[in-house]
Amino acid sequence: GLAAMGNLRLMIESFSISKYLWNKGEDEAKRFQDYMEHQKSEFDGTEAHMEEEREDSFFKKYGWISEPESRTVSALVKKLKNEKYDKLFNISNNYIHATPYSLEKVWEFNHKRKGYFPIELSELIRLNEWILVDFLEFIVKHFIEREEEKLFYKIFLKIIVDWM
């Protein structure tokens, strides 16, 4: 259950970051890549190979996001304008960032119920599938060029969703 919840959070974050970068364009994508280079250099002690010289505020948490009002993952999730993903992101954050004490209480509760969190495991898996399908639709829409291929993938995704 905890792994499925962590995956759900990661998928929603990745989806919201991807859509944000797509909508903002190439310059924002370069900022994102430079930020990743900077983080990598701090982690492994190597020199960062960034495309541009960056200002000090760039190096703060989520400083790669050029819109100051969007400099949290929660703000990027809100930009999806999807109430379900907003709620799921908040729920997953509460569990992923929970204290050891609260996780122990959750474990005790789940052990008595023989379930996983307040969301049963089957539903949690289903939520992971939904965000994955939305992500795949986004990729097909923006990265497959030939219309025949797009149609094939849309039909394929429809079959997958109906089968789930």
Side-chain angles (χ1 to χ4, degrees):
L2 187 58
M5 186 65 81
N7 188 64
L8 179 64
R9 178 175 178 243
L10 176 62
M11 290 296 297
I12 294 171
E13 284 181 359
S14 298
F15 186 49
S16 61
I17 289 169
S18 297
K19 286 196 82 162
Y20 173 80
L21 289 173
W22 181 264
N23 291 333
K24 291 296 285 184
E26 191 67 26
D27 288 340
E28 200 79 354
K30 285 179 184 174
R31 286 177 63 88
F32 179 78
Q33 191 60 44
D34 282 352
Y35 191 75
M36 295 306 110
E37 282 291 326
H38 168 71
Q39 282 190 320
K40 180 181 177 292
S41 71
E42 283 193 334
F43 180 74
D44 62 16
T46 60
E47 183 181 339
H49 301 289
M50 296 192 293
E51 296 237 355
E52 294 180 25
E53 191 74 26
R54 300 291 179 182
E55 70 280 0
D56 286 316
S57 64
F58 174 84
F59 300 104
K60 293 180 180 173
K61 192 169 185 181
Y62 303 111
W64 61 270
I65 300 173
S66 62
E67 297 175 0
E69 68 278 5
S70 298
R71 284 199 175 152
T72 65
V73 177
S74 295
L76 294 182
V77 171
K78 285 190 186 316
K79 281 182 162 290
L80 292 174
K81 294 184 170 109
N82 183 317
E83 193 174 312
K84 177 186 251 178
Y85 289 151
D86 194 33
K87 286 179 182 177
L88 290 173
F89 185 70
N90 288 334
I91 289 169
S92 65
N93 273 339
N94 287 336
Y95 284 103
I96 301 310
H97 293 294
T99 66
Y101 173 79
S102 62
L103 282 177
E104 182 181 347
K105 291 300 172 195
V106 167
W107 182 84
E108 287 172 8
F109 173 75
N110 291 330
H111 186 69
K112 287 176 189 170
R113 288 183 58 221
K114 298 187 185 335
Y116 295 86
F117 303 107
I119 302 172
E120 295 298 326
L121 184 59
S122 59
E123 180 62 15
L124 197 51
I125 298 300
R126 179 77 171 145
L127 296 171
N128 273 276
E129 291 169 343
W130 280 339
I131 185 70
L132 185 58
V133 167
D134 283 353
F135 214 149
L136 291 171
E137 284 179 355
F138 172 75
I139 290 169
V140 167
K141 180 180 177 185
H142 295 294
F143 296 101
I144 305 288
E145 293 180 9
R146 293 181 34 218
E147 290 303 316
E148 310 84 52
E149 286 183 60
K150 281 186 184 182
L151 181 59
F152 167 77
Y153 282 109
K154 286 179 182 176
I155 292 169
F156 183 64
L157 285 172
K158 172 85 170 105
I159 291 168
I160 289 172
V161 170
D162 289 347
W163 176 72
M164 292 191 302

